[in-house]
């Protein structure tokens, strides 16, 4: 049996054991569902009182005892009536609802372990001796609506994790600890990078000075790379009249994510959820010959999209964000080169930000009646995407029929320092908008033709990318991104003036530096700088002042290198140019 499969059985069986333990403790409890999930399991309960953290301990102890008793998981295929009678008698209303949802041709099976019988499809372990009482942990309590519907009863969900042995459990708990330590909301607060304000509107990000410094570094780099790669940069409005969104079709298929209109001069204006229609308006304000193409137009465009308040999450899921958007307009002849170019460009950008483990996902045409555009275009577009992925030697998966109705796409997922995958880059063909806006170019033969249009966001949203970046580095940013690249620390007050002159010199050269002239002792100042994850501390005293030098101490080490101020400039510039961490 594959290990994943075995773990799934263990985890789902643990959910049964937990339900058994909960029913021992609260015989009047009603039970809902208890599936295995990634790394663990949960069970939803309707309980007579709210659950406390202390209850988890007691439930765990009961679970250990149940496991040690080594009971069998006994499966019985029963008739609907039998199952209905059983759960009616037990007053398990949720199970009755679940029973109703089982299709007429499906088997109805009940599993019993010890005194506890559940309506379940399985599979499970054979008996609870295959569960390790030292390799599970109940992790948390949350609220969950029955069937995920907020009109239904709120249930208590208990999450747990389970593994084959205690060592695996320990490693997993350590990983959870690491994830928690790097949580961008926590690091963002500690390092004063950003905030959100429920009272001023949830899902909207406030960038503080230190976070803004990082964003500026990201944007400066982004702009300069785009220039080098043949992109023009655009600025477009934040609102557009309903005509624009009717023409683009967004008011039809994207309506749910758009905010209500505001009235201006008796017209409805909508705040933009996307930049594309604006770029198209710019395209359409000129005639284009095949000789002008390809056009690569980029914009750091701020958009607003409605998300339910329940799914908002720090920087990762927000209601307003800035896309690093671009649109490529080209001829059919140019498309292969353009796609290869944009994929290469993306991979280089990811490398510079410190991500090298990247996987591609190619989504192809959905059923013909659910998509627009002709076969030839879809085939050519899909071929060009595939060819580019293969040319770059990327590991990839194909999602057959998983594309949007308007064109095939590549998504890139990057792996962070903890091995988590994040979907970031999208390269998306569009056969819909050029048609709807009647976009044309004049080809070699003098005829008007449709250009190809590709939407492309490399980082995705700057906000979300920033969240991922914070977690990837745990706040210890490489020098080129660090909000404070160096901190000048005098060993005593007598050297404050020299410290200030070092700071002034570095600031004038464009580096982000501060000086700590406070009353703290030297060790405390060093500790503070380390806590702020500042790459370089520049310690200055008598010796340094006399020779015009600094003692360089890295945030990760204890050694100090004395170098002239001039050498430090060159040293730091080298690290920034190479995008090295330290
Ligand atoms: Zn089961
Ligand atoms: Zn677009």
């Amino acid at each position: 049996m594959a290990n994943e499969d075995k773990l799934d059985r263990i985890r789902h069986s643990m959910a049964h054991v937990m339900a058994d333990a909960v029913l021992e403790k609260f015989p009047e409890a009603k039970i809902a569902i208890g599936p295995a999930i990634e790394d663990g399991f949960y069970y939803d309960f309707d309980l007579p009182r709210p659950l406390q953290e202390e209850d988890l301990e007691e439930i765990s102890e009961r679970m250990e005892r149940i496991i040690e008793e080594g009971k069998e998981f006994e499966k019985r295929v029963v008739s609907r009536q039998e199952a209905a009678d059983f759960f009616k008698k037990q007053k398990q209303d949720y199970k009755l609802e679940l029973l109703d949802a089982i299709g007429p041709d499906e088997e109805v099976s009940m599993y019993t372990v010890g005194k506890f019988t559940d309506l379940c499809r399985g599979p499970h372990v054979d008996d609870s001796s295959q569960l390790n009482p030292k390799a599970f942990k109940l992790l948390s309590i949350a609220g969950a609506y029955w069937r995920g519907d907020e009109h239904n009863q709120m249930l208590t969900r208990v999450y747990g994790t389970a593994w084959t042995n205690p060592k695996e459990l320990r490693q997993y708990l350590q990983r959870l600890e690491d994830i928690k330590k790097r949580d961008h909301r926590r690091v963002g607060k500690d390092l004063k990078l950003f905030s959100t304000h429920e009272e001023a509107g949830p899902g909207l990000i406030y960038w503080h000075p230190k976070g803004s410094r990082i964003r500026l570094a990201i944007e400066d780099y982004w702009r300069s790379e785009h220039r080098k790669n043949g992109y023009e940069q655009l600025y477009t409005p934040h609102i557009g009249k309903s005509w624009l969104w009717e023409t683009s079709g967004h008011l039809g298929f994207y309506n749910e994510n758009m905010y209500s209109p505001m009235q201006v001069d008796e017209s409805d204006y909508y705040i933009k959820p996307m930049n594309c229609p604006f770029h198209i308006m710019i395209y359409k304000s000129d005639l284009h010959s095949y000789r002008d193409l390809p056009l690569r137009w980029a914009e750091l465009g701020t958009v607003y999209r409605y998300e339910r308040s329940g799914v908002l999450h720090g920087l990762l899921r927000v209601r307003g964000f800035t896309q690093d958007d671009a649109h490529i307009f080209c001829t059919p002849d140019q498309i292969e080169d353009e796609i290869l170019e944009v994929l290469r460009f993306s991979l280089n950008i990811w490398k510079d930000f410190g991500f090298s483990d990247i996987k591609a996902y190619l989504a192809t045409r959905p059923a013909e009646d659910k998509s627009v555009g002709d076969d030839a275009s879809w085939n050519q577009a899909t071929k060009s995407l595939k060819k580019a992925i293969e040319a770059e030697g990327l590991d990839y998966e194909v999602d057959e029929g998983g594309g949007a109705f308007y064109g095939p796409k590549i998504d890139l997922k990057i792996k962070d320092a903890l091995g988590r995958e994040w979907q970031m880059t999208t390269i998306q063909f569009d056969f819909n908008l050029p048609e709807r806006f009647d976009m044309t170019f004049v080809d070699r033969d003098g005829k008007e033709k449709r250009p190809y249009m590709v939407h492309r966001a490399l980082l995705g949203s700057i906000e979300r990318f920033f969240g991922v970046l914070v977690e990837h580095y745990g706040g210890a940013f490489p020098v080129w991104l660090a909000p404070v690249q160096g901190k000048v620390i005098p060993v005593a007050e007598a050297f404050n003036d020299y410290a200030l002159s070092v700071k002034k010199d570095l600031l004038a050269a464009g580096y982000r530096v501060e000086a700590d002239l406070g009353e703290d002792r030297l060790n405390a100042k060093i500790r503070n700088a380390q806590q702020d994850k500042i790459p370089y501390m520049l310690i200055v005293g008598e010796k340094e002042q006399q020779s015009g030098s600094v003692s360089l101490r890295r945030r990760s080490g204890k050694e100090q290198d004395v170098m002239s101020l001039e050498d430090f400039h060159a040293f730091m510039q080298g690290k920034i140019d190479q995008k090295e961490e330290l």
Side-chain angles (χ1 to χ4, degrees):
M1 194 186 302
N3 196 42
E4 270 313 298
D5 193 30
K6 186 173 150 197
L7 277 171
D8 273 353
R9 281 174 193 246
I10 288 177
R11 287 167 184 159
H12 172 62
S13 302
M14 273 297 181
H16 280 265
V17 172
M18 176 164 75
D20 192 2
V22 167
L23 282 171
E24 268 186 19
K25 187 171 159 61
F26 304 103
E28 66 277 50
K30 292 190 197 315
I31 55 173
I33 54 164
I37 52 172
E38 195 183 351
D39 302 328
F41 59 91
Y42 70 78
Y43 215 114
D44 287 346
F45 303 103
D46 189 346
L47 298 174
R49 67 162 169 85
L51 220 48
Q52 312 294 331
E53 288 292 328
E54 303 85 76
D55 294 320
L56 293 189
E57 223 164 282
E58 194 201 321
I59 295 167
S60 294
E61 280 162 21
R62 285 175 191 266
M63 287 173 69
E64 281 182 44
R65 201 204 64 239
I66 294 167
I67 293 169
E68 274 155 4
E69 286 167 4
K71 288 168 188 160
E72 229 177 284
F73 277 79
E74 197 189 319
K75 179 181 178 181
R76 234 156 39 87
V77 176
V78 296
S79 70
R80 249 154 232 282
Q81 192 53 50
E82 198 179 332
D85 290 346
F86 178 84
F87 289 110
K88 232 176 257 162
K89 212 166 96 204
Q90 305 267 323
K91 300 202 174 68
Q92 290 295 353
D93 313 337
Y94 299 104
K95 291 294 168 188
L96 289 169
E97 266 192 59
L98 291 171
L99 181 63
D100 277 343
I102 298 178
D105 303 326
E106 288 176 80
E107 172 185 282
V108 176
S109 60
M110 306 212 297
Y111 277 88
T112 302
V113 54
K115 297 186 293 299
F116 173 64
T117 297
D118 204 345
L119 178 72
C120 189
R121 210 179 274 134
H124 308 90
V125 295
D126 299 327
D127 63 69
S128 57
S129 72
Q130 289 166 334
L131 304 176
N132 189 327
K134 301 286 174 225
F136 82 92
K137 187 171 165 58
L138 300 187
L139 296 173
S140 59
I141 305 162
Y145 293 108
W146 167 234
R147 301 200 136 166
D149 182 340
E150 58 194 20
H151 303 294
N152 285 342
Q153 173 75 24
M154 171 75 94
L155 304 173
T156 304
R157 177 170 295 179
V158 181
Y159 284 102
T161 187
W163 300 82
T164 53
N165 60 56
K167 189 178 162 211
E168 283 176 3
L169 174 66
R170 266 199 312 279
Q171 285 169 344
Y172 175 69
L173 294 176
Q174 181 56 49
R175 190 179 145 77
L176 283 189
E177 227 10 79
D178 291 343
I179 289 174
K180 215 156 110 194
K181 243 192 275 169
R182 286 168 183 255
D183 188 311
H184 69 279
R185 293 166 298 181
R186 176 172 165 172
V187 175
K189 196 165 177 205
D190 288 350
L191 300 183
K192 302 194 170 74
L193 302 179
F194 73 95
S195 60
T196 53
H197 301 275
E198 197 70 25
E199 67 279 25
L204 302 170
I205 306 302
Y206 291 68
W207 293 74
H208 293 214
K210 296 243 161 78
S212 299
R213 288 182 186 185
I214 303 176
R215 176 165 173 166
L216 279 167
I218 294 169
E219 290 187 3
D220 287 348
Y221 163 76
W222 187 93
R223 291 203 171 90
S224 118
E225 287 304 305
H226 277 72
R227 267 195 303 274
K228 286 188 218 159
N229 282 274
Y231 284 80
E232 293 291 342
Q233 295 179 42
L234 311 179
Y235 295 91
T236 61
H238 286 228
I239 55 174
K241 234 158 107 173
S242 51
W243 172 85
L244 191 67
W245 308 107
E246 275 154 18
T247 309
S248 69
H250 284 104
L251 276 181
F253 69 83
Y254 205 71
N255 192 15
E256 277 178 21
N257 296 87
M258 293 173 68
Y259 290 98
S260 334
M262 59 193 105
Q263 281 230 316
V264 184
D265 297 339
E266 280 152 55
S267 296
D268 281 345
Y269 279 72
Y270 289 84
I271 191 152
K272 68 174 167 186
M274 293 194 188
N275 307 299
C276 339
F278 298 91
H279 290 197
I280 292 175
M281 292 310 289
I282 297 179
Y283 182 94
K284 280 185 66 76
S285 41
D286 253 326
L287 289 175
H288 298 279
S289 139
Y290 69 97
R291 272 182 249 110
D292 311 332
L293 304 181
L295 294 171
R296 300 173 187 158
W297 287 351
E299 178 177 11
L300 288 168
T302 302
V303 297
Y304 290 86
R305 297 180 186 174
Y306 175 72
E307 297 272 7
R308 280 181 300 115
S309 63
V311 301
L312 298 175
H313 179 88
L315 293 166
L316 301 180
R317 206 68 188 266
V318 296
R319 284 178 172 167
F321 58 94
T322 299
Q323 275 188 309
D324 74 316
D325 208 358
H327 295 97
I328 296 165
F329 305 106
C330 68
T331 69
D333 296 345
Q334 294 164 337
I335 196 64
E336 271 191 16
D337 287 346
E338 283 304 301
I339 295 293
L340 187 59
E341 195 64 34
V342 73
L343 185 62
R344 263 193 206 141
F345 183 33
S346 322
L347 295 176
N348 282 335
I349 296 249
W350 285 116
K351 202 170 95 226
D352 279 349
F353 279 113
F355 300 89
S356 50
D357 196 341
I358 295 173
K359 194 169 168 188
Y361 294 79
L362 171 65
T364 64
R365 188 176 198 176
E368 219 159 291
D369 57 335
K370 292 200 177 74
S371 56
V372 298
D374 59 80
D375 284 347
S377 306
W378 274 87
N379 289 342
Q380 194 194 9
T382 310
K383 204 179 98 206
S384 67
L385 292 173
K386 204 163 165 184
K387 218 167 150 184
I389 295 174
E390 283 168 356
E392 288 303 296
L394 280 182
D395 190 14
Y396 75 101
E397 270 175 38
V398 180
D399 181 4
E400 287 296 346
F405 74 89
Y406 47 86
K409 66 165 176 174
I410 305 176
D411 285 330
L412 297 183
K413 290 192 186 171
I414 60 159
K415 252 192 196 153
D416 71 6
L418 293 179
R420 293 172 298 175
E421 253 195 352
W422 302 92
Q423 203 248 287
M424 309 300 281
T425 302
T426 299
I427 302 168
Q428 166 84 59
F429 272 90
D430 195 326
F431 299 127
N432 187 41
L433 290 181
E435 203 67 40
R436 296 187 76 112
F437 280 93
D438 191 24
M439 296 169 73
T440 57
F441 72 96
V442 179
D443 206 353
R444 239 174 256 281
D445 55 12
K447 291 200 178 108
E448 283 202 345
K449 294 184 185 162
R450 286 263 180 268
Y452 271 113
M453 174 174 183
V454 176
H455 310 259
R456 175 239 75 167
L458 295 187
L459 306 175
S461 107
I462 301 286
E463 280 73 5
R464 184 164 172 279
F465 167 66
F466 185 46
V468 173
L469 200 65
V470 168
E471 299 203 359
H472 180 62
Y473 287 112
F477 296 102
V479 191
W480 74 285
L481 292 171
V484 181
Q485 296 168 313
K487 189 143 218 167
V488 192
I489 303 176
V491 299
E493 212 190 314
F495 308 104
N496 280 5
D497 284 346
Y498 179 60
L500 275 178
S501 76
V502 169
K503 174 186 146 183
K504 220 170 128 189
D505 175 75
L506 289 165
L507 277 182
Y511 300 115
R512 301 185 287 273
V513 287
E514 293 176 351
D516 186 348
L517 306 182
E519 311 248 288
D520 289 335
R521 297 175 60 99
L522 178 62
N523 280 342
K525 289 183 179 179
I526 290 176
R527 210 172 37 245
N528 288 341
Q530 281 170 334
Q531 266 168 8
D532 288 342
K533 301 182 165 57
I534 294 168
Y536 301 132
M537 286 159 264
L538 306 171
I539 320 285
V540 295
E542 178 79 48
K543 193 173 59 180
E544 288 80 8
Q545 178 170 313
Q546 273 176 10
S547 58
S549 61
V550 294
S551 279
L552 166 69
R553 182 177 168 139
R554 294 164 181 80
R555 69 180 161 219
S556 57
K558 286 203 171 76
E559 294 108 72
Q560 297 190 4
D561 300 328
V562 182
M563 43 176 104
S564 72
L565 196 48
E566 206 170 65
D567 285 350
F568 177 69
H569 273 263
F571 167 83
M572 182 146 75
Q573 193 55 50
K575 299 291 180 183
I576 291 170
D577 291 344
Q578 294 305 313
K579 307 209 163 35
E580 279 178 59
E581 196 159 334
L582 268 183

